[in-house]
Amino acid sequence: MDKLQIASFTGAELVALADERLPKGRGAARAIYRRALRESRFEPDAHGLSELGVAAWSERFALDLPRVVRKAEEETDLGPTAKLVLALHDGLECEAVVLPMGRERTTLCISSQVGCKMGCTFCETARMGLLRHMTTAEIIGQILRVRAEGYAVNNVVFMGMGEALDNADAVIQAVRVITDPAGMALGQERVTVCTVGRIDGIKKLAQAGFRRLNLSISLNAPDDALRASIMPIARTVSLSQLQAALIEYRPRENFAVGVNYCLLPGINDSAEHAAGIASFCEPLGRVMVNLIPYNPGGAPLTRAPEEDEIERFIGQLREHGLPVRRRITKGRSVMAACGQLGNVELRRKRRLPTSPGAEPSAD
Ligand code: SF4
């Protein structure tokens, strides 16, 4: 019998499952859940249960965390940036990045898929293709493992490997788990889901009813032709369709959508592009433009923008009245900056079973 992964569930769900499936030891469900989600530990014998109760929990439930394969750190003014390569149960790997934000706050950038099928030309992960979706337990496992390695996690962003809303059901359940007061208890305002513009996923997110969750979209080009040349999703989802979906997505009165823009010198950094971004944002109400200077990876699309090019573009956006936040490029030397996640070597593992009968899927 496959064990149920505790990190797949909210506290209430675990209590209900314990009631339904355990002959003994049900009463410890809340305490077991809290310890698992807050301390990354599953210790059924630490809650005063009888031997039968401990055995019942151990037979039916587990908290399998990914293993750290590699860890690279880079010192920054705000503290260490760390990229952790984590092995999942089938030998495939995902990546999580710890980003110091100052004042002892830390953001963890997590993956939702192994690889990605979206094919954005500026992105290292795209070169892997999609190997498989991650489960909710695997998504949560990244946070638990990173905490177990001694890093604080105050904010979570779904901007690691994968398109979060291509795996919407697992990601939505992960948001429920992350924000459940019975366990991890991060406020919804501390979690950001990022998408290239999966309108079906945005609708699912709206139905899930997270009122304080942050949503950001990767814009990267303000016209359909340019966007389609660097982001294949734009061939099927036009900017006006994306705009309409965002106008509809109103989880709360003062909601501000994040508009991420990876600055690619010579490609999307002209004054016309800045004006185009302003037109795109105009009907959206409150927005925050997050400007991400391009980080060249293994097969660079262009060079990194110079400091004065970044400043000039930010100035142009502000002249159009847009609030702009520049993402500090942390972790470039450990390939942990935006667009740099992804291990091309992993593509080879797609056809290499890690144990007899364990063929990694490539859906
Ligand atoms: S930028 Fe995001 S959606 Fe696009 S290929 Fe990379 S991981 Fe996928």
Side-chain angles (χ1 to χ4, degrees), residues 253-331:
E253 196 106 314
N254 62 351
F255 173 71
V257 67
V259 176
N260 299 342
Y261 199 85
C262 179
L263 194 66
L264 302 159
I267 296 176
N268 67 358
D269 65 340
S270 70
E272 289 71 38
H273 294 129
I277 297 170
S279 311
F280 175 80
C281 292
E282 214 266 329
L284 302 184
R286 292 185 66 207
V287 298
M288 171 57 74
V289 179
N290 298 307
L291 195 81
I292 305 162
Y294 176 58
N295 299 297
L301 188 61
T302 179
R303 62 179 170 79
E306 303 287 344
E307 209 41 48
D308 60 326
E309 293 170 321
I310 298 168
E311 287 308 318
R312 191 194 60 223
F313 198 73
I314 288 176
Q316 288 165 346
L317 292 173
R318 289 195 173 133
E319 274 169 27
H320 288 287
L322 290 170
V324 187
R325 208 165 36 187
R326 178 185 169 173
R327 287 273 200 74
I328 302 160
T329 313
K330 304 182 184 99

Side-chain angles (χ1 to χ4, degrees), residues 103-123:
R103 283 179 287 167
E104 297 186 3
R105 302 205 69 78
T106 304
T107 292
L108 182 66
C109 178
I110 57 174
S111 301
S112 54
Q113 297 177 312
V114 182
C116 184
K117 70 177 185 203
M118 292 297 157
C120 305
T121 54
F122 50 84
C123 172

Side-chain angles (χ1 to χ4, degrees), residues 112-113 115-127 158-164 166 194-197 218 220 230-233 338-341:
S112 54
Q113 297 177 312
C116 184
K117 70 177 185 203
M118 292 297 157
C120 305
T121 54
F122 50 84
C123 172
E124 195 72 11
T125 306
R127 299 173 62 214
F158 283 85
M159 282 183 74
M161 288 165 59
E163 156 57 37
D166 189 42
C194 182
T195 176
V196 286
S218 298
N220 302 327
I230 56 174
M231 298 174 72
I233 189 163
C338 294
Q340 289 188 326
L341 296 186

Side-chain angles (χ1 to χ4, degrees), residues 71 203 272 296:
K71 182 160 80 173
K203 287 189 176 143
E272 289 71 38

Side-chain angles (χ1 to χ4, degrees), residues 79-231:
T81 295
K83 175 164 106 168
L84 289 89
V85 178
L86 303 171
L88 305 171
H89 71 95
D90 56 4
L92 290 182
E93 294 168 3
C94 68
E95 298 179 340
V97 180
V98 181
L99 298 162
M101 307 307 287
R103 283 179 287 167
E104 297 186 3
R105 302 205 69 78
T106 304
T107 292
L108 182 66
C109 178
I110 57 174
S111 301
S112 54
Q113 297 177 312
V114 182
C116 184
K117 70 177 185 203
M118 292 297 157
C120 305
T121 54
F122 50 84
C123 172
E124 195 72 11
T125 306
R127 299 173 62 214
M128 294 172 62
L130 176 65
L131 275 65
R132 70 168 172 86
H133 293 310
M134 289 170 66
T135 64
T136 295
E138 288 172 333
I139 293 169
I140 298 295
Q142 298 169 86
I143 306 172
L144 295 174
R145 169 55 71 206
V146 164
R147 283 185 165 168
E149 291 292 304
Y151 299 98
V153 177
N154 308 107
N155 304 289
V156 172
V157 296
F158 283 85
M159 282 183 74
M161 288 165 59
E163 156 57 37
L165 295 184
D166 189 42
N167 187 15
D169 294 339
V171 165
I172 287 170
Q173 174 68 358
V175 173
R176 290 194 191 102
V177 175
I178 294 168
T179 57
D180 183 358
M184 219 166 243
L186 277 190
Q188 285 180 15
E189 65 284 356
R190 303 209 164 276
V191 182
T192 302
V193 171
C194 182
T195 176
V196 286
R198 285 288 298 257
I199 288 176
D200 51 342
I202 294 173
K203 287 189 176 143
K204 277 190 179 180
L205 211 53
Q207 282 158 9
F210 301 117
R211 296 205 52 224
R212 290 174 294 121
L213 181 74
N214 299 305
L215 173 68
S216 66
I217 54 123
S218 298
L219 182 63
N220 302 327
D223 67 82
D224 284 319
L226 176 58
R227 198 161 184 264
S229 73
I230 56 174
M231 298 174 72

